[in-house]
Amino acid sequence: SIGLLRDEKGKTVFRTEGGPLKEVLDRVEERANYGDTASGRYLTDEFANEPFGWDFEVVRLLVLSLLRAGKIEATSKGQTLDTVTGVEARETFSNNNLFRQASFRPKKGIEFEELVKASDAFRDTFGSEVKELNAGAIVSELRKEVARNEDVVGSALATLTAHRLPGGAVLEGAIGQMKAILRGSEDNAIATFNTSHRAIKDAIKRAVELEQALNEPRLHDLERARNAQGSLWSFLSREADISDELRSRASELEDLLQRESFYKELPAIEQDTKALEVEYQKRFDEALDARVNAYTAAFEKLVKTPGWTEIDEDQQRRLAEPFQRGQKRDEGRVPIPQLRADRDACGGRLSIAITELRRIIDGDRVVTVSVASYFAEGIETEEQLQAALDGIREECSRLIGAGKKVIVQ
C-alpha cells in the first residue's frame, strides 16, 4: 500500500500532509511559486527518476487523488478543471497524451496576496502596471493583453507546425494557459496566470523572435538544411573518403535543427548546410562528367563501327538513343548512385548496340562468343592459356563452318 488514505473522525480522507501525495503536491507548488505550471509530462518524468521510480500510472493516480482532494486544479485544452466528475476531466485522465499535456497548480482562493502576485506578474509579463488592485480590474486588463498576444503565439505555432520545426510544444502549452485565462472565471484566470506567467511571457517573447527570424527566404534555407542533413548526408555518409571535418559539420547540423532555439543558430545552420551542398555538388559534377564522357566515347565508337552507314535513320536513332541520353546534362537532379550505375553500364550497352547493328546487317548469321567465359577460372600457366585459346578457336571455327558471322566479346 502507498498510503493515500487516512481516517479522520470516522471519515476516509486523502492523506496529503505526508507520503506520496505530499511529494507530488510539493512539486506542483514549487513550480507554481516559480510562476510556472507542472505539466503531466513534467510530473511523470520527475517521479520516474530516483529515489521514486514511479511509473506513469502511479503518478496519474496520485495527481487524480490530489484533484479529488481539492488540493490542485488542472488546465486541459484551455479548460480549467477543479473536479474529477466532468467530461473534460474524464477525457484528460483517460488519455495518456492529454494527461501529459495538461498542467496542474495548487487550488487557492483569491486572497489579497494573490492579487499582489498577479499585479507583479502582469508588470513582469507585459511591461505595464494594472490600474487597480482588485480582481475584476486585473482580470479585465489581463484578458486584453492575453487576447492581444494569443494570435502572435498561435501564428508562430502554426509556422513551426507547417514547416516541421521544433519548439511547438512550449508555445502550445502557453496557448492552453492563455485560453484558460480568457474562458475561465475571474478566480481561475488569476490563479492560472499566477502559476503560468513565466511560460506565457517566454512564449510571447519566443513568438515575436520567431516572427522576426522566419521570413520566407529563411524558411526556404531551413528546408535546404533539412534536405542537406537528410538526403545529401544520407549519401555522403556512406562515401569512403569523407573528411572528419564534414562529418563533424553534419553532426552539428543535425543537433542545431533539433534545438528549440534553432532560430538563433541560423548562420551556423547555413554554414553547415553549404558545406554539405558543396561536397555533394562536387561529387555530382564528377559523376555526371564521368557518365557524359563514357557515353560520348561510346557513341563515337558506335557510329564508326563498320555497317553503321548501311542501316536506315530510324535504326540509327534507336541504337544511338541510350548514348545520346547518357550525354545529356540537363535531366534534372539525378541521384549520384544512378549516374555512377549508368556510367558502369555503358560498356555493356555498347556491346549490345554493336551486336544489334550486326544482326540488322547480317540477320540470323550473327552470333556472339564471350571470351570471358573461357577465362572464368583464371589463368596461371601457359598450358591453361593455350587450352583457353584452343577452346575459343574451336568454337569460332564451328560457328563459321555453320555459316555464322562471329562477334567476339
mmCIF file of all heavy atoms in Angstrom, residues 297-327:
data_model
loop_
_atom_site.group_PDB
_atom_site.id
_atom_site.type_symbol
_atom_site.label_atom_id
_atom_site.label_comp_id
_atom_site.label_asym_id
_atom_site.label_seq_id
_atom_site.Cartn_x
_atom_site.Cartn_y
_atom_site.Cartn_z
ATOM 1 N N ALA A 297 32.225 8.835 -75.675
ATOM 2 C CA ALA A 297 33.203 7.940 -76.323
ATOM 3 C C ALA A 297 32.500 6.723 -76.924
ATOM 4 O O ALA A 297 32.846 6.276 -78.038
ATOM 5 C CB ALA A 297 34.240 7.498 -75.299
ATOM 6 N N ALA A 298 31.505 6.179 -76.238
ATOM 7 C CA ALA A 298 30.787 5.001 -76.745
ATOM 8 C C ALA A 298 30.015 5.339 -78.013
ATOM 9 O O ALA A 298 29.988 4.549 -78.969
ATOM 10 C CB ALA A 298 29.840 4.473 -75.667
ATOM 11 N N PHE A 299 29.406 6.520 -78.037
ATOM 12 C CA PHE A 299 28.659 6.928 -79.223
ATOM 13 C C PHE A 299 29.597 7.079 -80.429
ATOM 14 O O PHE A 299 29.274 6.647 -81.551
ATOM 15 C CB PHE A 299 27.931 8.243 -78.949
ATOM 16 C CG PHE A 299 27.159 8.774 -80.126
ATOM 17 C CD1 PHE A 299 25.968 8.182 -80.509
ATOM 18 C CD2 PHE A 299 27.638 9.849 -80.866
ATOM 19 C CE1 PHE A 299 25.256 8.658 -81.602
ATOM 20 C CE2 PHE A 299 26.922 10.327 -81.959
ATOM 21 C CZ PHE A 299 25.736 9.736 -82.333
ATOM 22 N N GLU A 300 30.755 7.711 -80.198
ATOM 23 C CA GLU A 300 31.724 7.871 -81.293
ATOM 24 C C GLU A 300 32.195 6.520 -81.825
ATOM 25 O O GLU A 300 32.370 6.338 -83.040
ATOM 26 C CB GLU A 300 32.919 8.697 -80.796
ATOM 27 C CG GLU A 300 32.570 10.159 -80.519
ATOM 28 C CD GLU A 300 33.703 10.930 -79.872
ATOM 29 O OE1 GLU A 300 34.757 10.293 -79.562
ATOM 30 O OE2 GLU A 300 33.549 12.150 -79.656
ATOM 31 N N LYS A 301 32.353 5.553 -80.926
ATOM 32 C CA LYS A 301 32.762 4.212 -81.342
ATOM 33 C C LYS A 301 31.641 3.521 -82.110
ATOM 34 O O LYS A 301 31.885 2.827 -83.111
ATOM 35 C CB LYS A 301 33.144 3.389 -80.111
ATOM 36 C CG LYS A 301 33.774 2.056 -80.442
ATOM 37 C CD LYS A 301 34.327 1.397 -79.176
ATOM 38 C CE LYS A 301 35.020 0.086 -79.540
ATOM 39 N NZ LYS A 301 35.592 -0.571 -78.340
ATOM 40 N N LEU A 302 30.397 3.717 -81.672
ATOM 41 C CA LEU A 302 29.257 3.085 -82.336
ATOM 42 C C LEU A 302 29.114 3.567 -83.771
ATOM 43 O O LEU A 302 28.929 2.751 -84.692
ATOM 44 C CB LEU A 302 27.982 3.385 -81.544
ATOM 45 C CG LEU A 302 26.666 2.864 -82.135
ATOM 46 C CD1 LEU A 302 26.674 1.335 -82.188
ATOM 47 C CD2 LEU A 302 25.465 3.368 -81.335
ATOM 48 N N VAL A 303 29.204 4.889 -83.980
ATOM 49 C CA VAL A 303 28.966 5.423 -85.339
ATOM 50 C C VAL A 303 30.139 5.128 -86.283
ATOM 51 O O VAL A 303 30.002 5.290 -87.501
ATOM 52 C CB VAL A 303 28.688 6.939 -85.301
ATOM 53 C CG1 VAL A 303 27.447 7.235 -84.471
ATOM 54 C CG2 VAL A 303 29.884 7.728 -84.768
ATOM 55 N N LYS A 304 31.293 4.715 -85.712
ATOM 56 C CA LYS A 304 32.437 4.327 -86.557
ATOM 57 C C LYS A 304 32.491 2.825 -86.805
ATOM 58 O O LYS A 304 33.386 2.335 -87.493
ATOM 59 C CB LYS A 304 33.738 4.787 -85.888
ATOM 60 C CG LYS A 304 33.914 6.303 -85.874
ATOM 61 C CD LYS A 304 35.183 6.702 -85.133
ATOM 62 C CE LYS A 304 35.330 8.233 -85.070
ATOM 63 N NZ LYS A 304 36.508 8.644 -84.271
ATOM 64 N N THR A 305 31.528 2.093 -86.205
ATOM 65 C CA THR A 305 31.503 0.642 -86.387
ATOM 66 C C THR A 305 31.129 0.323 -87.829
ATOM 67 O O THR A 305 30.177 0.915 -88.372
ATOM 68 C CB THR A 305 30.462 0.013 -85.425
ATOM 69 O OG1 THR A 305 30.826 0.343 -84.090
ATOM 70 C CG2 THR A 305 30.430 -1.503 -85.590
ATOM 71 N N PRO A 306 31.863 -0.578 -88.497
ATOM 72 C CA PRO A 306 31.521 -0.962 -89.878
ATOM 73 C C PRO A 306 30.058 -1.382 -89.979
ATOM 74 O O PRO A 306 29.560 -2.161 -89.158
ATOM 75 C CB PRO A 306 32.460 -2.151 -90.145
ATOM 76 C CG PRO A 306 33.631 -1.900 -89.266
ATOM 77 C CD PRO A 306 33.078 -1.280 -88.028
ATOM 78 N N GLY A 307 29.362 -0.834 -90.980
ATOM 79 C CA GLY A 307 27.961 -1.158 -91.193
ATOM 80 C C GLY A 307 27.006 -0.097 -90.686
ATOM 81 O O GLY A 307 25.821 -0.125 -91.002
ATOM 82 N N TRP A 308 27.504 0.866 -89.896
ATOM 83 C CA TRP A 308 26.625 1.903 -89.340
ATOM 84 C C TRP A 308 25.918 2.677 -90.450
ATOM 85 O O TRP A 308 24.720 2.961 -90.364
ATOM 86 C CB TRP A 308 27.424 2.846 -88.448
ATOM 87 C CG TRP A 308 26.625 4.012 -87.904
ATOM 88 C CD1 TRP A 308 26.615 5.292 -88.355
ATOM 89 C CD2 TRP A 308 25.692 3.963 -86.813
ATOM 90 N NE1 TRP A 308 25.755 6.057 -87.613
ATOM 91 C CE2 TRP A 308 25.163 5.266 -86.644
ATOM 92 C CE3 TRP A 308 25.253 2.954 -85.959
ATOM 93 C CZ2 TRP A 308 24.234 5.572 -85.670
ATOM 94 C CZ3 TRP A 308 24.323 3.265 -84.990
ATOM 95 C CH2 TRP A 308 23.808 4.558 -84.839
ATOM 96 N N THR A 309 26.637 3.030 -91.500
ATOM 97 C CA THR A 309 26.054 3.832 -92.582
ATOM 98 C C THR A 309 25.126 3.010 -93.472
ATOM 99 O O THR A 309 24.442 3.577 -94.326
ATOM 100 C CB THR A 309 27.163 4.459 -93.443
ATOM 101 O OG1 THR A 309 28.037 3.415 -93.930
ATOM 102 C CG2 THR A 309 27.999 5.437 -92.623
ATOM 103 N N GLU A 310 25.112 1.691 -93.270
ATOM 104 C CA GLU A 310 24.277 0.835 -94.115
ATOM 105 C C GLU A 310 22.851 0.696 -93.564
ATOM 106 O O GLU A 310 21.968 0.207 -94.260
ATOM 107 C CB GLU A 310 24.914 -0.563 -94.231
ATOM 108 C CG GLU A 310 26.288 -0.552 -94.890
ATOM 109 C CD GLU A 310 26.943 -1.933 -94.860
ATOM 110 O OE1 GLU A 310 26.202 -2.923 -94.873
ATOM 111 O OE2 GLU A 310 28.187 -1.985 -94.809
ATOM 112 N N ILE A 311 22.616 1.086 -92.325
ATOM 113 C CA ILE A 311 21.262 0.963 -91.763
ATOM 114 C C ILE A 311 20.536 2.292 -91.917
ATOM 115 O O ILE A 311 21.155 3.354 -92.091
ATOM 116 C CB ILE A 311 21.296 0.520 -90.289
ATOM 117 C CG1 ILE A 311 22.035 1.548 -89.425
ATOM 118 C CG2 ILE A 311 21.970 -0.853 -90.159
ATOM 119 C CD1 ILE A 311 22.027 1.212 -87.934
ATOM 120 N N ASP A 312 19.199 2.249 -91.859
ATOM 121 C CA ASP A 312 18.429 3.485 -92.088
ATOM 122 C C ASP A 312 18.424 4.375 -90.842
ATOM 123 O O ASP A 312 18.870 3.975 -89.762
ATOM 124 C CB ASP A 312 17.008 3.156 -92.553
ATOM 125 C CG ASP A 312 16.197 2.391 -91.497
ATOM 126 O OD1 ASP A 312 16.328 2.724 -90.301
ATOM 127 O OD2 ASP A 312 15.446 1.463 -91.869
ATOM 128 N N GLU A 313 17.874 5.590 -91.013
ATOM 129 C CA GLU A 313 17.924 6.593 -89.944
ATOM 130 C C GLU A 313 17.152 6.162 -88.693
ATOM 131 O O GLU A 313 17.584 6.415 -87.566
ATOM 132 C CB GLU A 313 17.368 7.933 -90.453
ATOM 133 C CG GLU A 313 18.317 8.664 -91.391
ATOM 134 C CD GLU A 313 17.823 10.067 -91.723
ATOM 135 O OE1 GLU A 313 16.834 10.514 -91.099
ATOM 136 O OE2 GLU A 313 18.421 10.708 -92.592
ATOM 137 N N ASP A 314 16.012 5.521 -88.881
ATOM 138 C CA ASP A 314 15.239 5.066 -87.717
ATOM 139 C C ASP A 314 16.025 4.049 -86.911
ATOM 140 O O ASP A 314 16.009 4.071 -85.665
ATOM 141 C CB ASP A 314 13.913 4.447 -88.171
ATOM 142 C CG ASP A 314 12.902 5.513 -88.596
ATOM 143 O OD1 ASP A 314 13.115 6.692 -88.229
ATOM 144 O OD2 ASP A 314 11.919 5.163 -89.264
ATOM 145 N N GLN A 315 16.699 3.141 -87.590
ATOM 146 C CA GLN A 315 17.512 2.137 -86.903
ATOM 147 C C GLN A 315 18.701 2.790 -86.190
ATOM 148 O O GLN A 315 19.042 2.438 -85.054
ATOM 149 C CB GLN A 315 17.993 1.085 -87.902
ATOM 150 C CG GLN A 315 16.861 0.212 -88.441
ATOM 151 C CD GLN A 315 17.286 -0.633 -89.625
ATOM 152 O OE1 GLN A 315 18.151 -0.228 -90.422
ATOM 153 N NE2 GLN A 315 16.682 -1.821 -89.761
ATOM 154 N N GLN A 316 19.316 3.763 -86.865
ATOM 155 C CA GLN A 316 20.424 4.503 -86.218
ATOM 156 C C GLN A 316 19.944 5.234 -84.965
ATOM 157 O O GLN A 316 20.598 5.202 -83.923
ATOM 158 C CB GLN A 316 21.012 5.513 -87.224
ATOM 159 C CG GLN A 316 21.828 4.893 -88.338
ATOM 160 C CD GLN A 316 22.380 5.949 -89.285
ATOM 161 O OE1 GLN A 316 21.915 7.100 -89.307
ATOM 162 N NE2 GLN A 316 23.375 5.567 -90.073
ATOM 163 N N ARG A 317 18.750 5.866 -85.096
ATOM 164 C CA ARG A 317 18.211 6.634 -83.963
ATOM 165 C C ARG A 317 17.929 5.713 -82.768
ATOM 166 O O ARG A 317 18.211 6.050 -81.621
ATOM 167 C CB ARG A 317 16.932 7.345 -84.389
ATOM 168 C CG ARG A 317 16.412 8.374 -83.403
ATOM 169 C CD ARG A 317 15.165 9.088 -83.917
ATOM 170 N NE ARG A 317 15.420 9.782 -85.168
ATOM 171 C CZ ARG A 317 14.895 9.430 -86.344
ATOM 172 N NH1 ARG A 317 14.095 8.390 -86.433
ATOM 173 N NH2 ARG A 317 15.178 10.107 -87.431
ATOM 174 N N ARG A 318 17.384 4.538 -83.038
ATOM 175 C CA ARG A 318 17.054 3.604 -81.958
ATOM 176 C C ARG A 318 18.314 3.100 -81.260
ATOM 177 O O ARG A 318 18.375 3.017 -80.034
ATOM 178 C CB ARG A 318 16.267 2.427 -82.535
ATOM 179 C CG ARG A 318 15.896 1.370 -81.513
ATOM 180 C CD ARG A 318 14.890 0.390 -82.078
ATOM 181 N NE ARG A 318 15.403 -0.282 -83.248
ATOM 182 C CZ ARG A 318 16.203 -1.355 -83.204
ATOM 183 N NH1 ARG A 318 16.581 -1.852 -82.036
ATOM 184 N NH2 ARG A 318 16.629 -1.942 -84.312
ATOM 185 N N LEU A 319 19.355 2.771 -82.020
ATOM 186 C CA LEU A 319 20.599 2.263 -81.422
ATOM 187 C C LEU A 319 21.357 3.363 -80.694
ATOM 188 O O LEU A 319 22.022 3.123 -79.678
ATOM 189 C CB LEU A 319 21.493 1.647 -82.507
ATOM 190 C CG LEU A 319 20.980 0.359 -83.169
ATOM 191 C CD1 LEU A 319 21.990 -0.133 -84.209
ATOM 192 C CD2 LEU A 319 20.744 -0.731 -82.136
ATOM 193 N N ALA A 320 21.256 4.595 -81.204
ATOM 194 C CA ALA A 320 22.028 5.702 -80.622
ATOM 195 C C ALA A 320 21.361 6.306 -79.392
ATOM 196 O O ALA A 320 22.025 6.960 -78.581
ATOM 197 C CB ALA A 320 22.238 6.793 -81.674
ATOM 198 N N GLU A 321 20.027 6.070 -79.225
ATOM 199 C CA GLU A 321 19.264 6.763 -78.181
ATOM 200 C C GLU A 321 19.880 6.641 -76.775
ATOM 201 O O GLU A 321 20.034 7.650 -76.072
ATOM 202 C CB GLU A 321 17.827 6.243 -78.187
ATOM 203 C CG GLU A 321 16.839 7.108 -77.396
ATOM 204 C CD GLU A 321 16.824 6.747 -75.926
ATOM 205 O OE1 GLU A 321 17.113 5.578 -75.600
ATOM 206 O OE2 GLU A 321 16.550 7.621 -75.095
ATOM 207 N N PRO A 322 20.268 5.444 -76.293
ATOM 208 C CA PRO A 322 20.838 5.361 -74.932
ATOM 209 C C PRO A 322 22.117 6.182 -74.777
ATOM 210 O O PRO A 322 22.384 6.722 -73.700
ATOM 211 C CB PRO A 322 21.134 3.869 -74.752
ATOM 212 C CG PRO A 322 20.282 3.177 -75.771
ATOM 213 C CD PRO A 322 20.182 4.113 -76.921
ATOM 214 N N PHE A 323 22.892 6.320 -75.827
ATOM 215 C CA PHE A 323 24.185 7.027 -75.753
ATOM 216 C C PHE A 323 23.993 8.533 -75.848
ATOM 217 O O PHE A 323 24.726 9.301 -75.209
ATOM 218 C CB PHE A 323 25.114 6.500 -76.850
ATOM 219 C CG PHE A 323 25.259 5.014 -76.788
ATOM 220 C CD1 PHE A 323 24.494 4.191 -77.606
ATOM 221 C CD2 PHE A 323 26.100 4.426 -75.859
ATOM 222 C CE1 PHE A 323 24.590 2.813 -77.515
ATOM 223 C CE2 PHE A 323 26.202 3.050 -75.759
ATOM 224 C CZ PHE A 323 25.429 2.228 -76.585
ATOM 225 N N GLN A 324 23.003 8.960 -76.632
ATOM 226 C CA GLN A 324 22.681 10.391 -76.664
ATOM 227 C C GLN A 324 22.064 10.840 -75.335
ATOM 228 O O GLN A 324 22.358 11.930 -74.852
ATOM 229 C CB GLN A 324 21.740 10.672 -77.835
ATOM 230 C CG GLN A 324 22.434 10.486 -79.194
ATOM 231 C CD GLN A 324 21.471 10.624 -80.359
ATOM 232 O OE1 GLN A 324 20.294 10.317 -80.236
ATOM 233 N NE2 GLN A 324 21.985 11.061 -81.499
ATOM 234 N N ARG A 325 21.222 9.966 -74.759
ATOM 235 C CA ARG A 325 20.630 10.286 -73.458
ATOM 236 C C ARG A 325 21.719 10.366 -72.390
ATOM 237 O O ARG A 325 21.671 11.216 -71.502
ATOM 238 C CB ARG A 325 19.598 9.228 -73.084
ATOM 239 C CG ARG A 325 18.802 9.582 -71.832
ATOM 240 C CD ARG A 325 17.670 8.602 -71.551
ATOM 241 N NE ARG A 325 18.180 7.284 -71.211
ATOM 242 C CZ ARG A 325 17.954 6.189 -71.922
ATOM 243 N NH1 ARG A 325 17.230 6.247 -73.035
ATOM 244 N NH2 ARG A 325 18.449 5.014 -71.540
ATOM 245 N N GLY A 326 22.700 9.478 -72.459
ATOM 246 C CA GLY A 326 23.777 9.462 -71.468
ATOM 247 C C GLY A 326 24.692 10.671 -71.545
ATOM 248 O O GLY A 326 25.445 10.936 -70.602
ATOM 249 N N GLN A 327 24.623 11.426 -72.641
ATOM 250 C CA GLN A 327 25.467 12.619 -72.785
ATOM 251 C C GLN A 327 24.777 13.891 -72.281
ATOM 252 O O GLN A 327 25.412 14.948 -72.209
ATOM 253 C CB GLN A 327 25.823 12.821 -74.265
ATOM 254 C CG GLN A 327 26.689 11.711 -74.846
ATOM 255 C CD GLN A 327 26.956 11.914 -76.326
ATOM 256 O OE1 GLN A 327 27.635 12.864 -76.736
ATOM 257 N NE2 GLN A 327 26.412 11.025 -77.146
#
